[in-house]
Amino acid sequence: MQNTRERKAEGAFTPWVAGFTVAGAVLFMALAAAWHWPTPELAFLSDNSPVSWLSSAQLWTIALLSLRLGADRSLPVLTSAWMAVAMMLLACDEQFMFHEHWKYGCHQWFDACRNHHWMTEAPILAVAIAGAATVAHLHCLLRDRGCRLWLWSSLTVASLAILVDLTGWPPNLARLEEALEVVAEALFAGTLLGWRRGVPITDQEHSAK
């Protein structure tokens, strides 16, 4: 009889890999801002901007990396599949601006959007809830203090980006909201890139009766 038991991943974390990922994203944004000088905010627009492209590219990278981590059992297969699908959807949203179309157009389609303002923000609220739940789940799987620190840092910056997106405050930071998203994605990508499997997620124990 075969008994399959799932347990938490035990491995090691390489912080310089994560740091390099974030530094690369920051350097790219600095170059984009310099390229658009004296109006650097143009580099951070939500559409057709260098930083928007970088955000989408990072999301696709995280999606593929998630699949890789699932394939080598560094993460449970269902977790890696969920992360891959979620990141692909976010990458598509980044390019095609689905949630912006919903935010500014749903009142024309549904009465609920006219009567309840939170309905116009439903997609971004769903991202916030799903993202927090995913990070909490990963916290239980990635058993390394440094890895967890990077993981929660990514959620903190992402939460700030969502708060700015929802409130538009402070105005100066709102113009750079795309940069916050990129930093959060880079922190998350760095967390996954720096994680190295120690013990496989799934042990298979064989016993004969």
Side-chain angles (χ1 to χ4, degrees), residues 112-194:
C113 291
R114 290 192 291 269
N115 299 328
H116 306 284
H117 175 69
W118 68 268
M119 281 292 296
T120 65
E121 304 290 358
I124 197 69
L125 292 173
V127 168
I129 294 170
T134 301
V135 167
H137 179 60
L138 288 174
H139 175 89
C140 297
L141 295 173
L142 307 180
R143 301 179 66 185
D144 179 275
R145 183 175 299 177
C147 188
R148 287 173 170 177
L149 177 62
W150 282 80
L151 180 66
W152 286 101
S153 296
S154 69
L155 180 63
T156 300
V157 178
S159 299
L160 179 59
I162 290 174
L163 184 63
V164 170
D165 182 75
L166 291 174
T167 65
W169 187 89
N172 290 336
L173 190 58
R175 291 197 293 269
L176 301 177
E177 183 247 334
E178 198 74 20
L180 293 174
E181 293 181 14
V182 166
V183 171
E185 293 157 5
L187 285 166
F188 190 69
T191 301
L192 299 182
L193 283 169

Side-chain angles (χ1 to χ4, degrees), residues 36-61:
H36 285 82
W37 198 266
T39 54
E41 61 272 12
L42 293 179
F44 299 91
L45 297 177
S46 294
D47 58 333
N48 297 323
S49 71
V51 176
S52 177
W53 172 87
L54 177 60
S55 179
S56 183
Q58 287 189 148
L59 290 167
W60 278 105
T61 299

